[in-house]
Amino acid sequence: PARVAAVKPSSMYASGSESLIKQAREIQEEELHKFCVRISKLLVNQDYGNETVDSLQRLYLIFSATKYGRILPPDLLKKLQSLLCSPHSSEQLQALASAILRETLYFGLHSLCSEEVQDSRTVSYVSAVILAQVRVKDEVSALVHRLLKCLESRQPEAQSTRHLLPVLSKIISLSPESLTEDHINLVSRKLVDWLRYASIQQGVSMSSGGFFTGPRTRQPGPITEVDGTVAADFFTVLCVGHSYTDDQWMNLYAFSMIRKWLLCYDTEGSGNADSDDRSEVDGSVMSMVSATSTSSRLLPPKERLREKAFEYCHRLIEQSDRKAQKKSDIVLQKACLIEAVTIMDIICREDPSFVYRAFPCVKALYGRLSEDLTYSRALLPIAQFYLNHSETAAVDSEAVIRQLFSRFPSKLFNEPMLAFEFTQFCRANVLVLSERVSFYQQSFPNLFKFLAWNSPALISEYVELLPPLLIPETAIEILHSLLDLPCLTAALDIQLRSASSQPSERLLLDQSATVSSSMEAFRHPWYRGMFMYILRPEAGTGDTIDRLNALHEVLADMAENPRVVQCAQTVPVLLHIFFNIVAQFANQKLINQIVLVLMERSSLLFNIKNYKTEVQRIFSSHILVLCKLQPSLIVEQARELLEFTGTTGNIYSKENFYIHVVWAIGEYLSVSYDKRCTVEQITSFFETLEAVLFEITQVRQSASPPSYSPRVITVLMTTLAKLASRSQDLIPRVSLFLSKMRTFACSSPVSSCYSEEDIEEILTRANELINLLKLPSVAQFVLAPCAQGTSPRWHRDTNTCLPLAMRALSDVLQKETGFLSG
């Protein structure tokens, strides 16, 4: 079909590859069926030329382009299975058949589980299909049996067992319980042989014999080290040769899966029956003596593998100290160091006696690498080793951890792989770091640098890292740091650009110089202290700085920087977590401090699009929670709250937050919540809010339409009514004020701005409140419920006065009211 023919692999790498994938997804079942029939005819005729390969490639693209599986016609399914299982098929055809069968919907695997397939290459391709399609545990067990049978048998010269280890690794990930104890011991023995006893001679390679002679076999030479010297010890992944023997390839494959194998199956510790009865010291000494005086061949398979894996890792660490001749070998050395130390750590966790043999090696390695930031990723597993085993070895791990936390985030924040691995390290050890590393909870300014620079990728990690960092001593500083996180991103960007600029551009400016950009401000003495605080490495130098407005102004040219904008989008998520965690341990003093910060910082925020709105939304929801936890804060912070609510400008710049603060005042400013609440305080709040409501509802001919929502007016009216119900001398004042709301609501500026529903809402609320205040006792009961009313028992208590109050309320609200008419 034309549409199928258009899906050619040669075109996949062109600019129109997306349209080809779209075409593949839109192919109808009828077209697909015709195409499958065509492929079947090619396979029946055993035509395995370019046309067949091209058709199979197109079929794979069609099957893999959709997220759901497709069904192959039975005859084509059978032919592809035969093609896959035939040892005479080319590897390209087997790979294509395997890939297509993996993408199809489930089919019976009986034909693929035949014992007739023996060569390792075919077994590996068949196994990939079985693992993709398997639904029954018995099928995996049968596959394991076949794999291990192939590993045990001697393969023909043209075959190699190295195809099988990736499949075995996949089985370990998917179904580790499929291996029996006998299987585990067998693989452990094979791993020992591959790791320790590979040839130290290079593989045989063919070289050209010249124009008049045929190719001749080059005599194999010895394996060399990365620095070019002849290898004097056993073969490892860091040995170099022009070509490799099959057992050397198995050595490389075995090392690549040894970590996963040890984590899955090396969990029994020492195999000696009486090891649990000895003391830890005695066991350690006996293990060391055994390691030096007894042949490891006498050990059980698991313990022998542990011993040989340890020796292998020890040799890798020694080899990493050699000066590599090629750049690629330097990269390989670093990768091998990470893996070697990690495997050593696993071995020491399973058998603590290895700690005494490993620690001198790891300590020397740390001394060699600690000052070289190019080995930063290799230092993380070393730090993990210290954390896990420093108590056993009686050494201090804090100095090692401190160096990581002080240097990595400050100097390497822009390396994404290190950032991810560092946060994973913190995440895996968060409890140990919190309990045993004294400075950990003071290190959040540096930790936040990774988040500030890589915020979209690391947000899930910091969702878990933030709660353990929160303690009463640092909560306020962390809150400021979260709010200033976009500023930190901007400062890191400026610092990075400054470091890569010309030396003349890095000199400090004169004190009197005028600043025209954030880069210049970074070099200006007047702003230098602000940047130094934002980039500080540890907590404890102060909760925030006094000149935040100046800092925000000078960073204005960074407000649209994509990295800064992305960072700002993560802050609301972390603020939610901050408030939820703090609410669990905050005392009265801390809650009072947090509320003050909310009122102060609700306007002191970096001017990024939507950032202030989102942060104020978070503040609004959580200030109510804080007030509910500590209602007395209204009385204790009365001066600050009066100042905040009395500033009319706050309505226009932070309306939602202002509304929630006013609501909290009306709800919790009561003697029911705090015996210190006085009539004078209630009157003071009443007069302040009355003045604000009067100012925003003034009706003038020249007045512009209101730029605030009707909700501001209804919440202010309700709060005034609540306060008046608690100090009844104020009821006439608020009633008179409310009676004038019709004039405001019907004025032309308001009518042009608010909808009929909005105006009706204002008038209805005023009407309800006036009716309530006509009966002060009812108003006090309805508008000012007692603190114990949060868990009422009115539905069960027949002696309560609630039914009477509700009937009285209904009568009041149903009366004819003429005060608002006319």
Side-chain angles (χ1 to χ4, degrees):
R3 187 177 299 185
V4 175
V7 187
K8 292 185 178 180
S10 59
S11 304
M12 289 178 60
Y13 303 99
S15 58
S17 59
E18 288 187 9
S19 63
L20 293 177
I21 293 174
K22 185 178 180 181
Q23 291 176 32
R25 289 173 178 167
E26 293 175 351
I27 289 175
Q28 300 300 314
E29 290 299 324
E30 184 179 353
E31 293 177 292
L32 180 59
H33 180 73
K34 292 178 181 179
F35 186 53
C36 291
V37 170
R38 180 177 150 199
I39 296 175
S40 292
K41 291 179 180 179
L42 292 172
L43 296 178
V44 166
N45 298 330
Q46 296 187 355
D47 179 2
Y48 301 139
N50 292 334
E51 184 181 359
T52 302
V53 171
D54 184 67
S55 297
L56 289 174
Q57 288 174 331
R58 278 182 269 165
L59 184 63
Y60 171 66
L61 174 60
I62 294 168
F63 272 61
S64 62
T66 57
K67 63 182 179 181
Y68 56 89
R70 293 180 183 265
I71 300 175
L72 278 172
D75 58 334
L76 180 56
L77 177 63
K78 186 175 181 180
K79 290 180 177 63
L80 286 176
Q81 290 177 346
S82 300
L83 186 67
L84 173 64
C85 296
S86 173
H88 305 295
S89 301
S90 68
E91 185 167 4
Q92 184 183 28
L93 289 173
Q94 282 186 320
L96 282 169
S98 176
I100 294 168
L101 292 173
R102 290 200 304 269
E103 296 292 334
T104 60
L105 287 175
Y106 178 77
F107 56 89
L109 299 176
H110 304 292
S111 59
L112 296 181
C113 296
S114 171
E115 294 290 338
E116 296 177 2
V117 180
Q118 295 296 330
D119 66 287
S120 60
R121 189 190 75 190
T122 304
V123 169
S124 67
Y125 284 120
V126 170
S127 300
V129 176
I130 293 175
L131 291 177
Q133 296 279 350
V134 69
R135 291 187 177 182
V136 183
K137 182 179 176 182
D138 291 343
E139 293 174 341
V140 180
S141 301
L143 176 59
V144 170
H145 179 73
R146 288 177 65 190
L147 282 176
L148 297 186
K149 188 175 180 181
C150 287
L151 284 175
E152 278 192 294
S153 63
R154 182 179 295 275
Q155 295 291 317
E157 287 189 14
Q159 295 292 331
S160 171
T161 53
R162 67 173 183 261
H163 298 286
L164 304 177
L165 282 189
V167 180
L168 182 59
S169 179
K170 183 74 171 177
I171 291 173
I172 294 172
S173 300
L174 294 177
S175 181
E177 68 279 0
S178 299
L179 274 70
T180 65
E181 191 66 23
D182 290 339
H183 293 154
I184 294 169
N185 289 335
L186 169 63
V187 176
S188 296
R189 286 192 294 268
K190 299 296 288 186
L191 287 171
V192 167
D193 292 340
W194 294 327
L195 284 175
R196 190 62 178 82
Y197 302 111
S199 171
I200 57 172
Q201 293 293 314
Q202 297 186 39
V204 176
S205 61
M206 304 298 291
S207 63
S208 174
F211 185 81
F212 295 104
T213 60
R216 65 174 182 268
T217 302
R218 177 184 294 174
Q219 291 299 316
I223 288 291
T224 63
E225 303 284 1
V226 290
D227 59 0
T229 60
V230 175
D233 210 335
F234 59 90
F235 180 88
T236 71
V237 68
L238 283 178
C239 291
V240 180
H242 294 290
S243 59
Y244 299 99
T245 62
D246 192 58
D247 62 346
Q248 289 167 354
W249 279 111
M250 294 303 290
N251 180 283
L252 306 182
Y253 277 80
F255 177 65
S256 70
M257 68 173 287
I258 191 66
R259 186 210 296 202
K260 183 185 291 186
W261 182 266
L262 291 175
L263 286 173
C264 273
Y265 301 116
D266 189 27
T267 57
E268 295 180 358
S270 175
N272 296 328
D274 60 342
S275 60
D276 291 338
D277 298 331
R278 302 178 190 151
S279 68
E280 182 179 337
V281 175
D282 182 46
S284 301
V285 173
M286 291 301 294
S287 296
M288 286 188 286
V289 172
S290 174
T292 56
S293 62
T294 306
S295 171
S296 64
R297 292 183 180 275
L298 301 179
L299 295 172
K302 286 185 181 180
E303 291 188 33
R304 188 162 179 242
L305 174 59
R306 198 183 298 151
E307 179 69 34
K308 295 306 177 184
F310 183 88
E311 292 175 4
Y312 193 101
C313 294
H314 197 283
R315 171 151 162 71
L316 283 179
I317 292 174
E318 291 176 347
Q319 287 178 296
S320 69
D321 198 22
R322 295 178 179 270
K323 188 174 182 180
Q325 295 179 329
K326 296 180 181 179
K327 187 176 180 180
S328 59
D329 288 338
I330 296 175
V331 176
L332 183 60
Q333 281 180 313
K334 294 176 181 178
C336 288
L337 273 179
I338 295 171
E339 193 71 7
V341 176
T342 303
I343 292 171
M344 274 189 166
D345 180 42
I346 295 169
I347 293 171
C348 290
R349 273 185 281 159
E350 296 303 327
D351 187 350
S353 67
F354 280 93
V355 172
Y356 305 99
R357 296 165 58 187
F359 223 103
C361 174
V362 175
K363 184 178 179 181
L365 180 63
Y366 173 73
R368 175 160 61 89
L369 305 181
S370 58
E371 299 301 323
D372 189 349
L373 288 177
T374 61
Y375 282 89
S376 55
R377 291 178 60 197
L379 288 170
L380 287 173
I382 294 175
Q384 184 69 65
F385 189 93
Y386 268 85
L387 266 184
N388 291 341
H389 309 295
S390 58
E391 289 187 356
T392 304
V395 298
D396 183 20
S397 63
E398 187 158 323
V400 177
I401 307 302
R402 180 179 288 276
Q403 187 176 31
L404 263 63
F405 276 76
S406 62
R407 297 181 67 200
F408 284 12
S410 293
K411 298 183 179 180
L412 302 171
F413 59 86
N414 59 325
E415 293 193 12
M417 184 57 71
L418 175 65
F420 175 74
E421 292 178 354
F422 191 93
T423 51
Q424 288 294 315
F425 168 80
C426 295
R427 192 173 168 185
N429 299 284
V430 65
L431 292 178
V432 178
L433 291 171
S434 301
E435 295 172 1
R436 287 172 38 191
V437 180
S438 60
F439 66 89
Y440 174 67
Q441 288 164 329
Q442 304 294 322
S443 66
F444 66 84
N446 248 7
L447 280 177
F448 283 173
K449 290 174 184 175
F450 279 134
L451 173 63
W453 194 260
N454 308 276
S455 49
L458 298 181
I459 182 64
S460 60
E461 277 70 28
Y462 277 85
V463 164
E464 294 188 27
L465 290 180
L466 181 59
L469 292 171
L470 287 169
I471 54 176
E473 293 76 17
T474 60
I476 297 297
E477 190 174 347
I478 287 179
L479 177 56
H480 281 291
S481 297
L482 290 175
L483 296 173
D484 293 330
L485 205 60
C487 296
L488 176 58
T489 307
L492 291 172
D493 186 276
I494 296 166
Q495 181 187 49
L496 200 61
R497 286 188 284 133
S498 177
S500 59
S501 62
Q502 297 295 326
S504 59
E505 298 176 356
R506 287 183 294 214
L507 297 174
L508 289 177
L509 297 176
D510 186 76
Q511 182 76 35
S512 60
T514 304
V515 170
S516 61
S517 68
S518 55
M519 277 289 287
E520 290 184 2
F522 189 70
R523 299 160 51 205
H524 197 284
W526 194 78
Y527 294 98
R528 190 67 180 167
M530 301 182 194
F531 281 100
M532 289 179 66
Y533 177 81
I534 292 294
L535 296 169
R536 69 197 184 280
E538 288 187 2
T541 56
D543 294 336
T544 186
I545 52 179
D546 297 328
R547 297 175 290 171
L548 270 178
N549 267 334
L551 179 64
H552 295 159
E553 289 173 5
V554 82
L555 291 177
D557 58 354
M558 296 291 293
E560 296 183 1
N561 180 288
R563 196 179 294 274
V564 174
V565 173
Q566 282 185 325
C567 177
Q569 292 169 351
T570 66
V571 172
V573 177
L574 297 173
L575 284 176
H576 265 306
I577 295 167
F578 172 87
F579 287 115
N580 290 336
I581 298 300
V582 166
Q584 298 173 17
F585 66 78
N587 56 19
Q588 180 178 344
K589 179 181 177 182
L590 180 57
I591 290 177
N592 287 344
Q593 290 175 325
I594 291 174
V595 170
L596 292 179
V597 172
L598 298 190
M599 289 191 290
E600 177 192 5
R601 292 304 306 269
S602 57
S603 55
L604 279 176
L605 295 168
F606 197 7
N607 191 21
I608 302 170
K609 184 178 180 181
N610 298 328
Y611 182 57
K612 283 187 177 181
T613 304
E614 285 300 307
V615 171
Q616 289 170 7
R617 181 177 60 81
I618 304 299
F619 284 4
S620 301
S621 61
H622 287 284
I623 194 169
L624 300 183
V625 176
L626 296 174
C627 289
K628 186 175 182 179
L629 286 173
Q630 196 65 42
S632 61
L633 70 85
I634 305 295
V635 172
E636 293 171 353
Q637 306 298 329
R639 184 172 60 83
E640 291 79 5
L641 288 168
L642 282 168
E643 182 180 350
F644 179 83
T645 54
T647 306
T648 310
N650 288 335
I651 296 177
Y652 304 103
S653 61
K654 53 190 94 169
E655 178 184 301
N656 195 45
F657 182 61
Y658 183 88
I659 287 173
H660 283 77
V661 172
V662 171
W663 186 91
I665 291 170
E667 187 72 10
Y668 298 111
L669 184 62
S670 169
V671 70
S672 301
Y673 290 103
D674 193 333
K675 301 299 182 184
R676 296 171 294 175
C677 179
T678 63
V679 173
E680 289 76 15
Q681 284 180 326
I682 293 175
T683 303
S684 180
F685 273 100
F686 179 90
E687 291 175 346
T688 299
L689 297 178
E690 181 187 41
V692 170
L693 184 58
F694 177 80
E695 182 177 345
I696 66 174
T697 57
Q698 278 279 42
V699 179
R700 305 185 190 94
Q701 292 299 325
S702 59
S704 58
S707 56
Y708 47 85
S709 69
R711 192 177 172 212
V712 174
I713 298 172
T714 56
V715 170
L716 279 168
M717 290 192 302
T718 305
T719 299
L720 288 173
K722 287 181 178 180
L723 297 178
S725 70
R726 296 165 203 165
S727 177
Q728 297 186 6
D729 292 343
L730 300 173
I731 289 179
R733 287 174 61 175
V734 71
S735 296
L736 178 63
F737 196 102
L738 293 173
S739 66
K740 298 178 179 179
M741 291 308 297
R742 176 171 288 277
T743 306
F744 165 75
C746 296
S747 63
S748 55
V750 175
S751 300
S752 65
C753 178
Y754 290 163
S755 65
E756 291 184 7
E757 291 78 9
D758 293 337
I759 294 173
E760 182 65 26
E761 180 185 353
I762 294 172
L763 295 176
T764 302
R765 179 62 58 87
N767 189 5
E768 291 174 349
L769 293 173
I770 290 175
N771 284 335
L772 275 174
L773 292 172
K774 287 181 178 180
L775 296 175
S777 58
V778 176
Q780 186 174 12
F781 179 79
V782 174
L783 296 175
C786 64
Q788 291 74 28
T790 54
S791 301
R793 301 179 67 239
W794 295 325
H795 62 291
R796 288 182 293 179
D797 193 345
T798 56
N799 297 320
T800 183
C801 62
L802 180 65
L804 176 62
M806 293 302 294
R807 284 195 298 271
L809 177 59
S810 299
D811 291 340
V812 169
L813 294 178
Q814 290 172 6
K815 285 182 179 179
E816 292 292 333
T817 56
F819 65 93
L820 285 175
S821 58

